[in-house]
Amino acid sequence: MPSEGRCWETLQALRSSDKGRLCYDRDWLLRGEDVLQECMSLPKLSSYSGWVVDHVLPHIQKNAPPSETSASSVSTSALDQPSSVPRSPLRNPAFSPVSSATSNGTKDKHESPHTEPMVLQSPRGMKVEGCIRMYELVHRMKGAEGLRQWQEEQEKKVRALSEMASEQLKRFDERKELKHHKEFQDLREVMEKSSREALGQQEKLKAEHRHRAKILNLKLREAEQQRLKQEEQERLRKEEGQARLRSLYALQEEVLHLSQQLDSSDQHRALLQVDLSAFRTRGNQLCGLVSGIIRATSENGFPTVEDQAAAEGALREMRDLLSNLHQEISRACEEKRRRDEEEARIKRQESQMQQRPEAHIESPVPNQGPGAKPNEDSTMQWYQQLQEASGRCMLAFEGLSNSKDSQAKKIKMDLQKAATIPVSQISTIAGSKLKEIFDKIHSLLSGKPVQSGGRSVSVTLNPQGLDFVQYKLAEKFVKQGEEEVASHHEAAFPIAVVASGIWELHPRVGDLILAHLHKKCPYSVPFYPAFKEGMALEDYQRMLGYQVKDSKVEQQDNFLKRMSGMIRLYAAIIQLRWPYGNRQETHPHGLNHGWRWLAQILNMEPLSDVTATLLFDFLEVCGNALMKQYQVQFWKMILLIKEDYFPRIEAITSSGQMGSFIRLKQFLEVRCP
């Protein structure tokens, strides 16, 4: 229809106009109004019309000219758009204050008597509004249809994607499960294979084990048989060895008894005026030989057949020697009887021709000190006096030593520590601390309190304290020589200088040092203890200086080492003095005692391995001091050792004991060519 084309043109013109750009209420369908009924009904004035007539129109009439054209245009425009203005009062900003004012109180003041709104006759406006609403409806329906289709497409896509994802997840789970099955199957196959291999290896090991067990059983049986055989052989060897050892002890006892008989022949020397020293010398050598065999036997366990044969040969020689001695004595008696029958002249001539007994080596000791003991008898008396003094000292503190009182025991331990610990601290590196150690020992012996173990200690705490400290101090000095000096030869000098200083201020300590030294090392006297009839062999070995524990004698090397340490300490003491002492006084035990010791050791028969060791240690420590003191006489003594004493030592030294002899010989050859 031609009118419809004009309507769309009108709508296009309205859309381009200012009014077309106004905002319309697009939610009018939500209020439930019937569109057709509203389009067909007559226009009505809204409840705001009265307010507009009362407030807006008067202002317009005042400003506008009174022309009919304008009035008619205003009325026409008002009639053309009556339905749009009241329908959207909240969308239009011009009417928003009006609505608020009306809601606040305008309705009460200007309430119209007519409750029904005024009806406006505008078919054209109604038609336009209907077209607008139809356009909006069509547009909304198209949008809803497009949205519905889009939603359906999206839902289809989501369902497709979900189904595809579910299928992929199923495939993934299936592949994963298949992989797990394969891995489990492979692992089970590997485990079964390993189990089969382990079982096979186990069976193989069992077979090898059974085979080895058989071999080991055979070896064990053979070893057990061998062990029993060895035990039987060892038992027989021990029995034979013990029998030989008892035989050796019996041989040694008989040899010593024969040696005593040889020693008893000295009375015939004076009566018959014959020289029997050769018999004594050879007897001592044979005793030394048998003693050496016994010592070697103690080191090796049991004597061998060769040892027994050598001892039996020595016994036979000793018997022959005694028989020859008796023959010599008988011959001398017969000769003496013939000489007695001769005249006085012949008797004088014979007396001049008699062989004089071999004189002992005289000790060329000029100007010996008052404390020197020049001959053997005086030396033994001096030795006995020192041992008796040591015994009296032990008896003096016997009450403190054997006391059961806890306080007395504590005092004894504190005094022993205070006396022995400072001596133990003396060493080759003590140097500057020697004076401090010396002062501490001197203070303790002087009755002054000293610090030991964090406590104050004094000998005045007990009446027997001084005797106890002097005895233990002397014992510790000798023990340091036996242990420390034996291991470190250079330690002899710092220990000796402190001992010499203490000896000078406290002479009783010096006597106790000598007593302990002589008891542990009889060769420092010098003194060779004699075997007495009825004496146990172990007691005799202890007298010789050996350590015997559980019937087992210490080895010869250890014995020589201890003797060497004590002789070195003694040689250092006789030549050193405390540097801070009184130089005007003489040394309490000086070099004259060293000269006496050297002379007397040369007057005694040498012992294999012992004499050479002691001479070497003594000369190495104080030989230079003796040379400066005695000069020409010292060189005569050295010459005597080289020419006369060396052959005597070599004669009694076996091939396995030549070490100490060679060392002494080389020492003297280098220094006395």
Side-chain angles (χ1 to χ4, degrees):
M1 291 177 33
S3 60
E4 293 180 358
R6 288 195 299 270
C7 288
W8 290 111
E9 293 176 358
T10 302
L11 290 174
Q12 187 67 29
L14 288 173
R15 183 181 296 173
S16 302
S17 65
D18 294 336
K19 186 180 293 185
R21 288 193 294 272
L22 292 176
C23 295
Y24 291 92
D25 184 10
R26 298 183 181 276
D27 299 330
W28 55 273
L29 290 175
L30 299 177
R31 292 194 299 270
E33 297 179 0
D34 190 7
V35 178
L36 297 178
Q37 184 178 359
E38 188 176 354
C39 293
M40 295 176 64
S41 64
L42 295 177
K44 298 179 181 179
L45 293 174
S46 68
S47 59
Y48 302 114
S49 300
W51 185 84
V52 172
V53 172
D54 293 337
H55 294 81
V56 178
L57 292 180
H59 291 287
I60 297 175
Q61 290 177 1
K62 289 178 181 179
N63 295 329
S67 64
E68 294 178 357
T69 306
S70 61
S72 62
S73 63
V74 171
S75 62
T76 304
S77 63
L79 292 173
D80 291 338
Q81 300 174 358
S83 60
S84 63
V85 174
R87 286 294 179 186
S88 303
L90 299 177
R91 298 276 185 183
N92 192 352
F95 287 99
S96 59
V98 176
S99 63
S100 62
T102 304
S103 63
N104 290 333
T106 307
K107 186 180 288 186
D108 296 336
K109 295 180 181 181
H110 304 283
E111 186 176 302
S112 176
H114 303 283
T115 59
E116 295 292 329
M118 187 181 293
V119 178
L120 297 179
Q121 299 294 329
S122 179
R124 186 179 179 184
M126 292 173 61
K127 188 176 182 179
V128 169
E129 186 175 356
C131 291
I132 291 172
R133 294 190 179 191
M134 185 176 292
Y135 175 78
E136 290 178 350
L137 178 62
V138 171
H139 184 70
R140 188 177 292 108
M141 291 175 66
K142 288 182 179 181
E145 182 65 19
L147 178 62
R148 185 182 60 78
Q149 293 177 357
W150 181 82
Q151 287 179 348
E152 290 178 354
E153 292 177 359
Q154 294 299 322
E155 289 176 355
K156 290 180 180 179
K157 291 181 180 180
V158 169
R159 283 194 299 272
L161 290 174
S162 176
E163 292 175 356
M164 184 176 64
S166 177
E167 291 296 328
Q168 290 180 353
L169 181 61
K170 289 180 180 179
R171 301 292 86 75
F172 177 76
D173 291 340
E174 291 174 356
R175 286 194 298 271
K176 186 176 180 181
E177 185 177 1
L178 180 60
K179 183 178 180 182
H180 287 170
H181 283 308
K182 288 183 178 180
E183 292 178 351
F184 178 75
Q185 187 67 23
D186 294 340
L187 180 61
R188 186 169 61 184
E189 291 177 356
V190 170
M191 291 178 65
E192 290 177 354
K193 183 178 179 181
S194 301
S195 178
R196 288 192 299 270
E197 292 178 354
L199 289 174
Q201 188 69 20
Q202 187 177 7
E203 292 297 330
K204 184 178 178 181
L205 290 175
K206 285 181 179 179
E208 292 180 356
H209 176 71
R210 286 191 295 269
H211 180 65
R212 291 180 180 177
K214 291 179 181 178
I215 296 175
L216 287 176
N217 288 332
L218 292 175
K219 290 184 177 179
L220 284 174
R221 284 195 293 271
E222 293 176 358
E224 183 65 19
Q225 294 174 358
Q226 186 69 20
R227 185 184 65 81
L228 293 175
K229 184 178 179 181
Q230 289 178 354
E231 287 181 355
E232 183 66 21
Q233 293 176 353
E234 183 68 18
R235 186 181 62 80
L236 294 175
R237 189 183 69 83
K238 286 183 178 180
E239 290 179 356
E240 294 175 357
Q242 289 175 356
R244 284 195 295 268
L245 184 60
R246 287 191 296 270
S247 177
L248 275 182
Y249 287 156
L251 290 174
Q252 186 183 27
E253 186 176 359
E254 187 174 354
V255 167
L256 291 173
H257 181 67
L258 295 176
S259 177
Q260 288 179 352
Q261 293 181 10
L262 288 175
D263 294 336
S264 64
S265 63
D266 286 344
Q267 57 183 354
H268 298 287
R269 180 181 62 180
L271 295 175
L272 304 177
Q273 296 181 355
V274 292
D275 187 7
L276 304 176
S277 59
F279 294 96
R280 293 182 59 207
T281 301
R282 185 54 184 166
N284 289 334
Q285 292 177 355
L286 293 175
C287 289
L289 177 61
V290 176
S291 298
I293 293 173
I294 295 293
R295 284 195 295 272
T297 297
S298 300
E299 295 175 2
N300 300 329
F302 293 104
T304 61
V305 178
E306 292 77 6
D307 294 335
Q308 187 175 8
E312 290 176 352
L315 178 59
R316 286 193 298 271
E317 188 175 353
M318 180 66 80
R319 290 171 179 170
D320 295 339
L321 189 65
L322 186 60
S323 177
N324 295 333
L325 176 64
H326 290 161
Q327 293 176 5
E328 185 68 24
I329 292 174
S330 300
R331 191 181 306 111
C333 290
E334 184 68 25
E335 186 178 353
K336 184 177 182 300
R337 189 173 62 255
R338 288 196 306 268
R339 285 199 305 269
D340 291 340
E341 296 174 353
E342 295 179 357
E343 297 178 356
R345 183 179 58 82
I346 299 174
K347 190 182 296 185
R348 280 196 304 268
Q349 293 177 356
E350 289 178 355
S351 62
Q352 293 176 359
M353 296 174 62
Q354 285 179 353
Q355 295 179 359
R356 302 189 53 166
E358 182 180 351
H360 290 290
I361 300 172
E362 296 181 357
S363 304
V365 187
N367 301 324
Q368 285 188 347
K373 311 294 185 294
N375 55 61
E376 185 176 355
D377 294 337
S378 60
T379 300
M380 291 307 300
Q381 292 176 3
W382 174 55
Y383 166 77
Q384 291 295 339
Q385 291 173 0
L386 290 175
Q387 296 303 316
E388 291 173 1
S390 176
R392 288 194 299 270
C393 184
M394 285 186 65
L395 291 175
F397 64 83
E398 185 177 9
L400 177 62
S401 180
N402 299 329
S403 177
K404 302 298 183 181
D405 183 44
S406 59
Q407 185 66 24
K409 289 182 179 180
K410 183 178 179 182
I411 293 174
K412 182 184 73 172
M413 291 302 298
D414 291 342
L415 289 175
Q416 184 170 350
K417 290 179 180 178
T420 57
I421 290 177
V423 180
S424 301
Q425 294 173 348
I426 303 174
S427 63
T428 56
I429 60 174
S432 60
K433 296 183 179 180
L434 282 180
K435 191 173 188 305
E436 179 182 350
I437 294 173
F438 176 85
D439 293 339
K440 189 172 183 179
I441 298 173
H442 175 58
S443 299
L444 179 66
L445 293 171
S446 301
K448 299 178 182 179
V450 296
Q451 293 294 322
S452 177
R455 291 194 296 271
S456 179
V457 182
S458 174
V459 295
T460 59
L461 295 175
N462 190 284
Q464 302 173 2
L466 181 59
D467 296 322
F468 179 77
V469 168
Q470 289 176 344
Y471 188 89
K472 291 298 180 182
L473 183 63
E475 185 181 44
K476 184 62 178 179
F477 271 118
V478 176
K479 191 172 184 180
Q480 283 294 96
E482 184 182 11
E483 297 176 355
E484 182 66 22
V485 179
S487 301
H488 307 91
H489 292 169
E490 63 276 10
F493 298 99
I495 297 173
V497 76
V498 176
S500 177
I502 296 297
W503 195 334
E504 186 174 344
L505 296 177
H506 305 276
R508 191 184 183 195
V509 177
D511 292 340
L512 292 173
I513 290 175
L514 283 177
H516 284 291
L517 184 65
H518 292 169
K519 188 175 181 180
K520 287 193 172 184
C521 179
Y523 313 104
S524 62
V525 178
F527 168 52
Y528 296 164
F531 184 84
K532 298 179 182 180
E533 190 172 353
M535 179 185 295
L537 181 61
E538 294 180 1
D539 295 337
Y540 179 64
Q541 289 171 334
R542 289 190 181 94
M543 288 179 63
L544 292 175
Y546 288 91
Q547 290 181 347
V548 182
K549 295 181 180 179
D550 299 330
S551 301
K552 186 175 182 180
V553 184
E554 68 174 326
Q555 295 183 356
Q556 184 72 5
D557 292 342
N558 189 52
F559 166 75
L560 293 175
K561 183 179 179 182
R562 291 191 303 105
M563 298 299 110
S564 173
M566 287 185 280
I567 286 295
R568 283 179 176 272
L569 178 63
Y570 180 67
I573 288 176
I574 63 178
Q575 65 172 318
L576 294 177
R577 295 195 64 183
W578 180 245
Y580 303 101
N582 188 358
R583 287 290 181 178
Q584 295 179 356
E585 297 182 1
T586 60
H587 194 292
H589 196 80
L591 283 172
N592 55 333
H593 289 270
W595 184 259
R596 174 196 58 79
W597 182 90
L598 185 59
Q600 288 190 356
I601 202 74
L602 295 178
N603 275 327
M604 301 172 68
E605 289 300 323
L607 294 179
S608 61
D609 217 12
V610 176
T611 304
T613 300
L614 298 183
L615 279 175
F616 170 77
D617 294 324
F618 187 84
L619 291 175
E620 187 179 39
V621 175
C622 70
N624 186 57
L626 290 173
M627 184 268 294
K628 291 181 179 179
Q629 179 74 20
Y630 297 105
Q631 298 179 359
V632 176
Q633 292 178 345
F634 176 78
W635 293 116
K636 289 182 180 179
M637 184 75 76
I638 297 300
L639 186 62
L640 178 65
I641 293 174
K642 292 179 63 177
E643 294 181 353
D644 181 67
Y645 209 63
F646 270 175
R648 295 164 64 185
I649 297 175
E650 189 174 7
I652 64 167
T653 304
S654 62
S655 59
Q657 298 174 338
M658 295 296 291
S660 57
F661 171 75
I662 294 173
R663 185 166 61 248
L664 175 62
K665 188 175 181 180
Q666 292 176 349
F667 173 77
L668 292 180
E669 287 177 352
V670 170
R671 288 160 178 77
C672 310

